[in-house]
C-alpha cells in the first residue's frame, strides 16, 4: 500500500498591499491571556473506548486519521475522517492485506450506536468524495450550514507527481457539501487556493463570522494563517484575510500568524479569549500537545502550555494533528484528540489498534 503520511509541500507567500485597514485587532488585555494556566490531562477519554470496540467488530470503520467532529440534528455526531481502513479484523487483532482502504469517510454516532458512511456499495466501498484523476481528497475541518441542513467539509485535493511513495503534492482547496441526513454529496466547490495555504485546519463561528484557519506547509516549518467569511456558508460571501494589522480582500496578503502549528489544529472560545490546541511541529515527529491563548481569534498566540506528551511516539510510531472537540466539552474539561500512525505500513496491518484516534480529557486551571 502506498499511503501518504506527512505532507511535505514547498509553498510560498506573496506580499500584497493591504486592502482593508485594521478593524478587529486584539483587545489590549483579557483574563485568558493574563492568567498563567496549568494542565491536568487524563488519557483514554470517551469516545475512545466506543470507537475501539466498534473497530474490533470489523463491521465498518476500523481506523483512520483527521478525527474532526460535528454535532448534527437528532443528537447525532458526525466523525469526519481522512485515510480510512474498513473491516474485517482478524481474531488476532490484525487486518487482512486485502482490507479496503479509502481516503475519506464518516462515522455517524447516535448515543452508543455507530455507523460507517462511505461511497460505493457494501461490496465495493469507495471514498465519500470520489478521487479526481491522478489524485485524491483528504477531509479537513467541517461544520453545518443552512440551519443544519448541510454538512460542509473542507476537502484538500492532492495529486501525484510520479510513481514513488512520496511523489505527491497538495494542489487546491474545495468545499464538499453533503446532505446532513442522507450524507449524499450535493456539491463540490473550489475555495481560495491562491496563497498556497491549506484552508482546512479549523473552522470557528464567532460574532457573525466563520473564521477559517489554514496552514502554510513548508515541510520543516508550518505557519498558521487566518481568514473569515460572513455567515456560515464558505461559498456565499467574499473571504477576508488577516494581514497582521487588518483584514484584506487579497488572499496573498494573508500573514503568518504562528509558527509550529499542525495541519489540523483547533481554535475555540476560552472564557473571554481564545484557545489554540495543536501538536508542536517545531520538532520532527513531536510527542508534545500544546495550547496557546489569545484575546482575538486572529492571535497573537501567547503563553504556550504543554497539555500532554503522547506515549505512543517512538520508533516507527508517530502522533500528530491534535485538536479539541468543543461541542463535546464536559464543563470546563476539554476533549482533545490526536492521531497515531506508523511510518511502516505493514505495522498497520499487523496491529489494527495502532491507527485509531486517542482522546484526552484536559482540565486547565490557573496556576497558584
Amino acid at each position: 500500500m502506498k499511503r501518504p503520511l506527512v505532507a511535505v509541500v514547498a509553498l510560498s507567500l506573496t506580499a500584497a498591499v493591504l486592502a482593508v485597514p485594521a478593524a478587529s485587532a486584539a483587545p489590549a488585555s483579557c483574563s485568558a491571556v493574563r492568567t498563567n494556566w496549568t494542565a491536568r490531562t487524563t488519557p483514554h477519554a470517551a469516545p475512545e473506548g466506543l470507537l475501539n470496540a466498534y473497530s474490533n467488530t470489523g463491521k465498518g470503520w476500523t481506523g483512520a486519521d483527521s478525527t474532526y467532529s460535528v454535532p448534527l440534528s437528532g443528537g447525532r455526531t458526525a466523525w469526519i475522517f481522512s485515510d480510512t481502513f474498513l473491516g474485517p479484523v482478524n481474531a488476532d487483532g490484525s487486518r487482512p492485506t486485502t482490507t479496503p482502504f479509502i481516503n475519506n469517510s464518516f462515522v455517524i454516532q447516535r448515543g452508543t450506536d455507530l455507523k460507517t458512511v462511505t461511497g460505493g456499495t457494501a461490496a465495493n466501498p469507495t471514498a465519500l468524495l470520489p478521487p479526481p484523476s491522478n489524485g485524491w481528497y483528504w477531509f479537513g475541518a467541517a461544520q453545518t450550514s443552512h440551519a443544519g441542513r448541510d454538512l460542509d467539509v473542507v476537502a484538500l485535493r492532492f495529486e501525484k507527481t510520479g510513481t514513488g511513495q512520496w511523489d505527491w503534492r497538495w494542489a487546491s482547496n474545495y468545499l464538499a457539501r453533503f446532505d446532513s441526513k442522507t450524507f449524499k454529496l450535493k456539491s463540490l466547490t473550489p475555495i481560495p487556493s491562491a496563497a498556497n495555504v491549506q484552508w482546512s485546519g479549523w473552522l470557528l463561528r464567532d460574532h457573525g463570522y466563520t473564521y477559517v484557519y489554514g496552514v502554510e506547509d513548508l515541510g520543516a516549518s508550518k505557519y498558521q494563517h487566518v481568514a473569515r467569511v460572513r455567515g456560515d456558508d464558505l461559498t456565499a460571501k467574499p473571504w477576508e484575510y488577516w494581514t497582521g494589522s487588518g483584514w484584506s480582500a487579497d488572499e496573498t496578503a494573508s500573514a503568518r500568524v504562528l509558527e509550529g502549528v499542525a495541519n489540523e489544529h483547533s481554535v475555540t472560545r476560552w472564557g473571554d479569549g481564545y484557545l489554540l490546541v495543536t501538536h508542536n511541529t517545531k520538532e520532527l515527529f513531536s510527542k508534545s500537545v500544546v495550547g496557546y491563548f489569545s484575546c482575538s481569534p486572529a492571535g497573537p498566540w501567547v503563553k504556550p502550555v504543554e497539555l500532554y506528551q503522547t506515549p505512543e511516539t517512538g520508533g516507527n510510531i508517530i502522533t500528530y494533528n491534535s485538536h479539541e472537540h468543543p461541542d463535546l466539552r464536559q464543563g470546563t474539561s476539554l476533549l482533545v484528540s490526536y492521531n497515531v500512525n506508523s511510518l511502516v505500513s505493514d505495522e498497520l496491518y499487523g496491529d489494527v489498534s495502532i491507527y485509531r484516534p486517542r482522546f484526552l480529557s484536559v482540565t486547565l486551571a490557573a496556576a497558584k
Side-chain angles (χ1 to χ4, degrees):
M1 176 184 66
K2 296 181 179 179
R3 203 180 72 77
L5 293 172
V6 183
V8 183
V9 185
L11 307 178
S12 63
L13 183 71
T14 304
V17 177
L18 304 188
V20 179
S24 299
S29 178
C30 62
S31 63
V33 166
R34 289 194 304 269
T35 304
N36 294 318
W37 298 99
T38 61
R40 184 178 73 252
T41 300
T42 303
H44 309 305
E48 184 175 314
L50 182 66
L51 285 165
N52 288 351
Y54 179 63
S55 171
N56 289 339
T57 68
K59 295 180 179 179
W61 177 99
T62 63
D65 62 3
S66 284
T67 319
Y68 289 100
S69 61
V70 179
L72 302 177
S73 63
R76 299 170 299 153
T77 296
W79 293 96
I80 314 294
F81 293 107
S82 290
D83 284 347
T84 302
F85 282 107
L86 302 174
V89 172
N90 296 324
D92 63 356
S94 64
R95 53 168 55 97
T97 56
T98 55
T99 189
F101 175 80
I102 58 179
N103 292 123
N104 48 76
S105 70
F106 297 156
V107 171
I108 307 303
Q109 178 183 356
R110 188 196 298 267
T112 59
D113 293 330
L114 300 177
K115 177 183 178 182
T116 303
V117 181
T118 68
T121 64
N124 184 29
T126 61
L128 269 168
L129 191 55
S133 60
N134 196 44
W136 64 91
Y137 293 101
W138 277 343
F139 281 170
Q143 65 176 12
T144 56
S145 66
H146 304 115
R149 294 189 301 274
D150 295 325
L151 174 59
D152 292 349
V153 185
V154 180
L156 300 178
R157 180 178 175 270
F158 286 83
E159 61 185 17
K160 298 175 183 177
T161 59
T163 58
Q165 178 177 358
W166 301 102
D167 294 339
W168 50 274
R169 66 185 178 189
W170 169 79
S172 52
N173 305 311
Y174 288 81
L175 187 77
R177 176 162 291 156
F178 297 87
D179 184 285
S180 67
K181 292 184 178 179
T182 66
F183 305 108
K184 298 298 184 183
L185 181 65
K186 297 175 69 173
S187 61
L188 182 64
T189 306
I191 57 175
S193 304
N196 290 323
V197 174
Q198 299 171 26
W199 293 108
S200 60
W202 190 255
L203 301 174
L204 168 68
R205 287 189 190 164
D206 192 58
H207 291 92
Y209 286 92
T210 297
Y211 287 83
V212 187
Y213 296 87
V215 175
E216 179 193 0
D217 186 346
L218 301 179
S221 299
K222 300 175 190 287
Y223 299 91
Q224 185 195 57
H225 291 247
V226 184
R228 68 181 186 181
V229 184
R230 284 194 179 274
D232 65 6
D233 185 343
L234 300 187
T235 65
K237 301 287 185 180
W239 287 33
E240 298 177 323
Y241 306 90
W242 182 245
T243 67
S245 60
W247 296 95
S248 171
D250 182 0
E251 184 184 359
T252 62
S254 175
R256 293 171 174 175
V257 175
L258 178 68
E259 182 181 7
V261 295
N263 294 72
E264 300 174 6
H265 57 274
S266 61
V267 175
T268 56
R269 291 303 304 260
W270 181 249
D272 60 351
Y274 299 84
L275 167 66
L276 186 157
V277 174
T278 184
H279 239 73
N280 175 20
T281 62
K282 291 183 180 180
E283 303 171 345
L284 182 63
F285 301 142
S286 176
K287 61 175 64 176
S288 182
V289 181
V290 294
Y292 294 84
F293 301 88
S294 177
C295 298
S296 163
W301 300 104
V302 297
K303 290 192 172 180
V305 57
E306 185 169 79
L307 306 180
Y308 192 63
Q309 289 215 345
T310 57
E312 300 86 358
T313 307
N316 296 324
I317 303 301
I318 60 173
T319 58
Y320 55 104
N321 284 347
S322 51
H323 57 76
E324 195 198 344
H325 299 264
D327 294 292
L328 299 174
R329 282 183 185 174
Q330 296 292 324
T332 59
S333 179
L334 314 178
L335 180 66
V336 173
S337 67
Y338 62 93
N339 296 134
V340 182
N341 210 327
S342 175
L343 297 171
V344 178
S345 60
D346 286 349
E347 294 186 349
L348 303 180
Y349 290 93
D351 183 356
V352 70
S353 71
I354 294 174
Y355 193 54
R356 295 169 172 169
R358 281 23 172 210
F359 290 84
L360 309 171
S361 176
V362 181
T363 300
L364 292 171
K368 296 181 179 178

